[in-house]
Amino acid sequence: MAGLICKNRVLLSRAPLLSQLSARAYGGGDAHHSGLPLPQTKVDIGQREVVGFGGNGEATYIDSVMAPFPAIRFKEDAGEIMALREKEKGDWKKLTKEEKKVLYRASFCQTLAEVEAPTGEWKSVLGLTLVGISIGVWGYLWMKAFVYGKVPDTITNEDKQKAQIDRMIAMRVNPIEGLTSNYDYEKGQWKK
C-alpha cells in the first residue's frame, strides 16, 4: 500500500487536473501558493478521469451513501464512452435513454438504490450463529454423557437435603440475606 501512495507534489508535474483538485479541496486558489499541505493520493487509477474530491481527498472509487460522489469515474473513457462524452457536451435532449444509462454506468458502478439494497448477508450470519449454537449444545451433551460423573446422592436424596438444610439452620449460615434469613429462630419454624 505504501508503494501506491505518494505526495501530490510528485504528481503535479504529471497531472494538472490533480493540482486543481487539491486546490479546490482547500477552498480554491492556486495550489502552488496556498501554503497548505497537500493530501496523499493513490496513483493506480489508470486513465480514469478525476472528477471531484471524493470521500477523503484520495483519488479512489467507492460506492457509498455517505460520500455519493467518488473522486474518479468508475470506467476509463475509451471507445463508445469517449464518443458519448463528446456528445454529452451538447444538448442532453439529443441523448437517448440508453446513452444516458451507459454514461451513468461509466461514471458509477451502482445506483444509490442498488448500494442500499439488502444483500442477503443476514442469512449467512444467522446460519453461522445457529451452527455455533448447535456445536455448543452438542458439546454440552457430550460432556454430560462422557465427562461428568453421576450426580451425588446429597442432591438427589430428599432426606439428605433436609438434613443439610437443618445443619445450615443450626449453624446460622447467612442470617441476613441467605437461606436462614427466612427462618424464625424464636419460634423454631420458617417465617410466613
Side-chain angles (χ1 to χ4, degrees):
M1 181 84 175
L4 296 176
I5 297 178
C6 66
K7 290 284 185 183
N8 277 343
R9 289 183 179 94
V10 176
L11 295 174
L12 289 176
S13 62
R14 297 184 198 154
L17 279 176
L18 207 50
S19 66
Q20 293 172 0
L21 171 67
S22 58
R24 248 183 288 138
Y26 291 110
D30 188 9
H32 300 290
H33 298 64
S34 67
L36 296 171
L38 297 172
Q40 292 182 336
T41 305
K42 291 185 179 184
V43 295
D44 60 345
I45 63 172
Q47 298 298 318
R48 294 189 280 178
E49 182 182 0
V50 177
V51 291
F53 182 71
N56 58 359
E58 287 187 355
T60 58
Y61 182 88
I62 186 167
D63 285 321
S64 171
V65 178
M66 301 304 287
F69 304 110
I72 58 175
R73 296 197 190 276
F74 178 63
K75 293 181 181 177
E76 293 182 2
D77 288 345
E80 178 190 354
I81 298 171
M82 192 64 153
L84 286 174
R85 291 263 181 244
E86 289 299 320
K87 192 175 178 183
E88 83 173 329
K89 291 178 183 175
D91 189 11
W92 272 62
K93 293 178 183 175
K94 293 179 182 176
L95 290 171
T96 66
K97 201 173 219 180
E98 282 302 315
E99 290 173 335
K100 291 176 187 176
K101 286 181 182 179
V102 169
L103 281 170
Y104 183 86
R105 289 297 180 176
S107 294
F108 302 100
C109 179
Q110 296 177 315
T111 64
L112 291 178
E114 291 171 345
V115 171
E116 290 182 327
T119 61
E121 182 182 9
W122 66 272
K123 297 173 191 173
S124 62
V125 171
L126 179 65
L128 289 174
T129 302
L130 292 175
V131 165
I133 290 171
S134 68
I135 288 172
V137 168
W138 281 109
Y140 167 75
L141 293 174
W142 179 82
M143 289 181 74
K144 188 173 181 182
F146 298 108
V147 176
Y148 300 136
K150 292 191 176 197
V151 179
D153 62 344
T154 55
I155 294 175
T156 57
N157 189 346
E158 288 187 28
D159 293 333
K160 289 190 178 183
Q161 282 183 345
K162 287 180 185 176
Q164 198 172 22
I165 291 171
D166 288 341
R167 181 172 168 89
M168 290 172 73
I169 291 170
M171 292 175 60
R172 295 182 183 241
V173 175
N174 288 332
I176 308 267
E177 294 181 354
L179 175 72
T180 60
S181 66
N182 297 324
Y183 190 78
D184 190 354
Y185 286 97
E186 293 174 3
K187 294 180 181 176
Q189 63 184 4
W190 292 102
K191 293 179 182 175
K192 295 182 183 179

